[in-house]
């Protein structure tokens, strides 16, 4: 697959897998953003059938999170 390891391996592993710390930090930031967006019920259950309305709500939710 030519996938790159992003999550660091456990300390108990005999041969540690190398990873890029900057990519890991960016991945963590994106994951936290999605977790905050999931607190909005409309985002988590995806009530909107049309992609345009769903994207508009994602923008509104992101603005609400940013303004906190």
């Amino acid at each position: 697959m030519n996938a790159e390891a992003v999550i660091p391996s456990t300390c108990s592993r005999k041969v540690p897998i190398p990873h890029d710390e900057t990519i890991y930090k960016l991945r963590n930031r994106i994951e936290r953003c999605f977790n905050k967006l999931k607190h909005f019920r409309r985002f988590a259950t995806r009530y909107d059938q049309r992609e345009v309305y769903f994207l508009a709500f994602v923008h509104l939710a992101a603005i609400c999170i940013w303004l906190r």
Side-chain angles (χ1 to χ4, degrees):
M1 286 178 49
N2 294 330
E4 186 177 337
V6 177
I7 302 173
S9 58
T10 60
C11 59
S12 63
R13 189 176 177 101
K14 289 183 181 179
V15 180
I17 299 172
H19 69 284
D20 189 4
E21 289 187 21
T22 56
I23 294 175
Y24 178 66
K25 286 180 183 179
L26 293 174
R27 179 184 177 274
N28 189 10
R29 183 180 294 173
I30 292 169
E31 267 190 42
R32 287 182 182 193
C33 179
F34 274 110
N35 287 335
K36 287 179 182 179
L37 284 171
K38 286 181 185 177
H39 286 283
F40 293 89
R41 184 176 179 204
R42 187 171 167 182
F43 177 85
T45 56
R46 191 157 184 190
Y47 287 133
D48 300 319
Q49 298 297 317
R50 300 183 107 188
E51 185 179 341
V52 177
Y53 298 144
F54 181 72
L55 184 61
F57 181 73
V58 170
H59 285 260
L60 285 173
I63 290 169
C64 289
I65 291 171
W66 183 64
L67 289 175
R68 287 184 190 174

